Amino acid sequence: MSTNRFMVFGVAAVMCLAGAAMGQDHAKPAPKPQEKMPEKMGDKGHDSNAEMEAWMESSKPGEMHKWLAQFAGTWETETTEFSPEGAGKPEKGKMEYKLTMGGRFLEMNFEGRMHGQFYHGGGAMGFNNIDQRFESTWMDTMSSNMLFMTGTADKDGKMLTLKGEFTNPMTKTKDAFKEVLTVVDKDHHKSEFFGTMNGQEMKMMEITYAREAKGTMKSDKMDKMKDKVKDKATEEMPAKKSDK
């Protein structure tokens, strides 16, 4: 057992002993505290040093973390939604990937439009050395749930497939969800998103990414998009009566 876990269990044990002592007859003497801690902490036969070494080894960034690093930077995006009637009109946006925690995780920050409204989403992706899988979280302004997905990359490192599930707000059932990320080249990649309809998997959305060249994407472009949405919301609000 690691030192941190021992401390947690130790505190819990002290609290339990204190509660038991309070419930006993005051005439009975309290048990004497242990004067000396055992030399070995944890369960019998447990090697805490070996456990610490295992944790340290599992925390080291490896080849899969280098693979994630290729996405670091800012990308111009085009999002296209799909329905049984066909593809919708592409919407432009921006994705920023940023390495964090010593290169162990890739933070994602996306801004664009969805269903004609301003859309902001973000999350993180990493590679779990222990379970040997990629893990991804996502949250956005069009839902109150967090999406968690896991998956693996192909042997060539060109395609990453992530799978998860979410609760359908209409049916309250668990629906399957899949993302397939394909690396086209060092400056282009795409993400395809699949859901289930009538028991059949279908493509719901596709986002294409092109690495931003310096000076090509003005920072105020997305701000104007936000302001436009705010202005529309203001127009729909009832006019405030002037005080007399």
Side-chain angles (χ1 to χ4, degrees):
M1 183 183 296
S2 68
T3 302
N4 288 338
R5 292 183 184 177
F6 180 84
M7 291 175 65
V8 172
F9 290 142
V11 171
V14 170
M15 293 177 68
C16 291
L17 288 173
M22 290 178 67
Q24 292 176 349
D25 188 350
H26 293 289
K28 296 180 180 180
K32 293 182 180 181
Q34 190 173 357
E35 295 179 356
K36 186 178 179 181
M37 296 291 289
E39 293 183 2
K40 286 188 177 182
M41 297 181 179
D43 298 331
K44 189 176 181 180
H46 184 87
D47 190 340
S48 59
N49 291 328
E51 183 184 33
M52 180 58 69
E53 290 177 4
W55 275 108
M56 294 299 292
E57 185 65 27
S58 70
S59 71
K60 293 179 180 179
E63 291 301 316
M64 295 296 97
H65 299 91
K66 292 180 181 178
W67 185 85
L68 285 173
Q70 68 180 309
F71 300 108
T74 305
W75 303 72
E76 297 179 31
T77 69
E78 279 198 357
T79 301
T80 304
E81 294 186 77
F82 295 86
S83 70
E85 289 73 33
K89 181 181 178 182
E91 297 278 9
K92 293 186 180 297
K94 180 172 71 173
M95 171 69 93
E96 181 180 10
Y97 295 108
K98 181 180 178 181
L99 290 171
T100 185
M101 304 296 173
R104 293 173 177 82
F105 300 95
L106 190 70
E107 287 186 355
M108 301 175 284
N109 186 28
F110 180 85
E111 291 183 339
R113 296 184 74 85
M114 193 78 66
H115 304 294
Q117 298 180 5
F118 175 74
Y119 173 89
H120 180 206
M125 187 184 299
F127 184 78
N128 184 330
N129 286 329
I130 303 173
D131 294 327
Q132 288 292 296
R133 67 183 187 182
F134 285 91
E135 297 175 343
S136 174
T137 61
W138 186 261
M139 64 193 84
D140 55 47
T141 54
M142 297 193 75
S143 63
S144 60
N145 62 293
M146 293 182 66
L147 184 65
F148 179 68
M149 296 189 291
T150 62
T152 56
D154 64 1
K155 63 180 182 179
D156 297 324
K158 294 295 184 181
M159 184 180 295
L160 169 64
T161 302
L162 297 166
K163 294 181 179 181
E165 62 179 18
F166 66 97
T167 303
N168 188 305
M170 290 185 64
T171 63
K172 302 299 188 296
T173 58
K174 293 291 185 180
D175 289 356
F177 187 79
K178 183 174 75 173
E179 176 184 357
V180 179
L181 188 157
T182 303
V183 177
V184 180
D185 55 45
K186 67 182 184 66
D187 294 321
H188 299 87
H189 65 278
K190 67 177 181 179
S191 286
E192 298 171 280
F193 302 88
F194 300 85
T196 303
M197 181 175 288
N198 298 325
Q200 298 293 323
E201 183 179 86
M202 66 168 291
K203 188 173 180 177
M204 301 167 56
M205 185 170 63
E206 178 178 298
I207 305 177
T208 59
Y209 300 80
R211 191 182 298 275
E212 176 187 290
K214 291 183 178 180
T216 60
M217 187 87 169
K218 294 183 179 180
S219 60
D220 62 347
K221 186 174 182 180
M222 201 58 64
D223 292 332
K224 290 180 179 179
M225 187 182 295
K226 295 178 186 177
D227 292 339
K228 187 175 181 181
V229 174
K230 290 179 181 178
D231 291 342
K232 184 178 180 181
T234 303
E235 291 173 0
E236 294 175 351
M237 292 178 64
K240 184 178 179 181
K241 294 181 179 180
S242 59
D243 296 331
K244 291 185 180 180

